[in-house]
Amino acid sequence: MLDRAPTPPLTGITVLEIGAFMAAPFATMQLADLGATVLKIELPGSGDPVRATGPFVEGHSSPFARLNRNKRSVALDLKSDAGREAVLRLAASADVLVENLRPGAMRKLRLDYDSVRAIAPRLVYASASGWGQDGPLAALPGLDIMAQARGGLMSITGTPDGEPTKIGVPICDLVCALYVALAVTAALRERDRTGQGQYVDVSLYEAGVSFAVWEAGKYFATGEVGRPMGSAHQSTAPYQAVRTVDGHVTLGAVTPKTWEGLCEVLGLGALRADPRYADAFTRHAHRGALIAEIEDVTRGWTSADLVRALDEAGVPCAPIADYAEVFTDDHLHRRGYFWDAPHPVLGPVRQLGSPMRFSRTPAVRDAAGPLLGEGTTDALRAVGYSDSEIHQLAAQGTAALGDAPPDPSGTSEREDPA
């Protein structure tokens, strides 16, 4: 494990998260990993709906403990005047606010950008939503699968003539969150120059469309519309999964050197002289015949033997691992990717590491997702609330102080997320 740096990159930055489920929480998790203090604003009693998402360990959500690591939970009822006032006081001393409620919800709470900017002009305020803050789709609910569908990703995912297939992870949610985190760090850098905050609008829809690099290259050049191709590449070959005696192996032999190496390993030297296979683009045009010839050979290999031979020949390849294999992978363990975060009830909670590796200021490895409201008292004290005022808020139900478990039903009056 890397040594904990005393000053991670975003040390001193305070982030308020008014989020639920995925986009805002995953974005602020990135910022927390980089050292920002993230105050996760949750509804007293139930909190983020992910708290009610299983599987559960000792009554606590396993996904929540991982998605919300390195954060502090501040439980406030934003629909009450006192709760709104508390959030505004927190915002006045914060650097960033990230939210992913449906467009218009923050305005109803009188916590929209214009309202907050009036008392916090240096604040970077980022909204993640399904379709963006304006335009004809803005008011519609927008979940990841809808963004994958309308954004074209489902039209190119799966096999030809197969059923509509979404990408296996909520990719639009996740990449929207990464764009939010990138935009926030850029806006903070710009604030260093000008002293002014600004508003950031990122949508799941546009985040998904931004992936269409190859598809845009084809369509805007030739008018060709991308279609599902299984595991095959859009324009070069061989670059896909091929069958073996016990499964599949992915390979990519698209340069002259790797193409020659593949032919040598498989004993298909004659293919190098075939004009249909002269280069990767030409091979793609004849991919059906090419893959049939390759699989005639690879079906006689085990996956392990084929990977070993191709590795030795310098041909890019990999087996198709399931997540039991991924989460026990020797390479990842040797690089210290996985780590255990402490939790007051669950004990050590295994975490997926940050892919960002810094030579001097490594990502923070602090605590698992917080108990509901456990950071409320400290956060309110820091913005001038007395202990008697904090306990009064708790007595009114406006705040929760971390001394009661969340409602296992997960019911919440918070506006729907993006």
Side-chain angles (χ1 to χ4, degrees):
M1 182 183 296
L2 296 172
D3 292 333
R4 173 73 179 272
T7 53
L10 294 182
T11 295
I13 297 297
T14 297
V15 179
L16 304 185
E17 176 206 304
I18 301 177
F21 293 111
M22 186 67 72
F26 194 69
T28 59
M29 188 190 82
Q30 310 306 318
L31 302 175
D33 282 355
L34 296 178
T37 297
V38 175
L39 304 180
K40 182 179 179 68
I41 310 298
E42 301 186 78
L43 186 70
S46 57
D48 185 333
V50 173
R51 289 188 182 273
T53 301
F56 299 95
V57 181
E58 301 292 334
H60 291 264
S61 167
S62 176
F64 182 91
R66 290 163 171 83
L67 180 58
N68 292 282
R69 67 181 181 223
N70 299 331
K71 302 178 187 178
R72 304 173 189 178
S73 173
V74 178
L76 294 168
D77 181 1
L78 305 187
K79 292 186 176 181
S80 69
D81 289 340
R84 174 182 177 274
E85 174 61 26
V87 170
L88 288 174
R89 286 172 67 170
L90 290 170
S93 62
D95 301 282
V96 178
L97 188 153
V98 178
E99 62 91 10
N100 70 319
L101 305 188
R102 195 182 298 183
M106 292 294 278
R107 184 172 298 108
K108 290 179 183 177
L109 296 169
R110 293 176 294 146
L111 291 171
D112 56 290
Y113 177 57
D114 288 337
S115 298
V116 176
R117 180 176 58 175
I119 55 96
R122 288 174 49 83
L123 189 78
V124 173
Y125 189 121
S127 295
S129 63
W131 314 107
Q133 299 300 307
D134 55 18
L137 301 177
L140 297 177
L143 304 179
D144 176 82
I145 191 172
M146 287 87 207
Q148 288 199 36
R150 196 181 288 269
L153 292 173
M154 288 181 66
S155 76
I156 61 168
T157 302
T159 57
D161 302 319
E163 292 293 317
T165 304
K166 73 176 182 66
I167 296 168
V169 298
I171 192 68
C172 291
D173 264 324
L174 296 171
V175 77
C176 175
L178 294 177
Y179 278 132
V180 167
L182 176 61
V184 162
T185 55
L188 289 171
R189 179 68 182 95
E190 196 276 339
R191 190 187 69 173
D192 290 341
R193 295 196 298 265
T194 66
Q196 294 295 309
Q198 60 180 302
Y199 184 67
V200 174
D201 170 8
V202 184
S203 71
L204 277 64
Y205 185 27
E206 291 171 356
V209 173
S210 75
F211 282 132
V213 176
W214 294 110
E215 289 69 31
K218 282 186 176 181
Y219 181 79
F220 290 120
T222 69
E224 181 181 353
V225 178
R227 300 298 181 204
M229 299 183 64
S231 63
H233 193 277
Q234 295 93 326
S235 59
T236 62
Y239 186 107
Q240 66 178 81
V242 296
R243 295 182 182 276
T244 64
V245 70
D246 57 357
H248 292 81
V249 166
T250 61
L251 56 85
V254 297
T255 67
K257 183 176 180 179
T258 56
W259 168 242
E260 291 177 7
L262 176 67
C263 291
E264 183 174 345
V265 167
L266 299 183
L268 294 173
L271 298 187
R272 287 180 289 180
D274 191 321
R276 296 176 299 168
Y277 308 143
D279 56 53
F281 186 76
T282 304
R283 290 194 292 271
H284 189 270
H286 300 92
R287 185 174 61 86
L290 171 64
I291 298 305
E293 295 200 58
I294 290 174
E295 289 189 332
D296 280 346
V297 178
T298 61
R299 286 174 185 269
W301 290 65
T302 66
S303 295
D305 287 343
L306 181 57
V307 167
R308 189 177 303 110
L310 293 176
D311 280 343
E312 291 175 358
V315 179
C317 66
I320 298 175
D322 63 29
Y323 275 114
E325 294 169 308
V326 173
F327 295 153
T328 56
D329 181 74
D330 180 62
H331 177 82
L332 293 173
H333 279 282
R334 291 193 184 205
R335 280 175 58 81
Y337 176 75
F338 301 106
W339 60 284
D340 292 330
H343 187 278
V345 176
L346 305 180
V349 177
R350 180 56 52 98
Q351 299 285 331
L352 304 181
S354 172
M356 296 176 283
R357 293 176 180 263
F358 296 81
S359 65
R360 292 188 300 102
T361 57
V364 171
R365 296 185 168 189
D366 193 357
L371 300 179
L372 180 62
E374 69 175 26
T376 304
T377 298
D378 288 342
L380 295 182
R381 279 176 180 164
V383 292
Y385 282 84
S386 68
D387 284 353
S388 62
E389 289 174 318
I390 294 171
H391 286 291
Q392 184 178 4
L393 291 174
Q396 295 169 347
T398 300
L401 307 183
D403 54 358
D407 178 359
S409 71
T411 56
S412 171
E413 294 182 0
R414 171 166 289 183
E415 295 283 350
D416 289 339

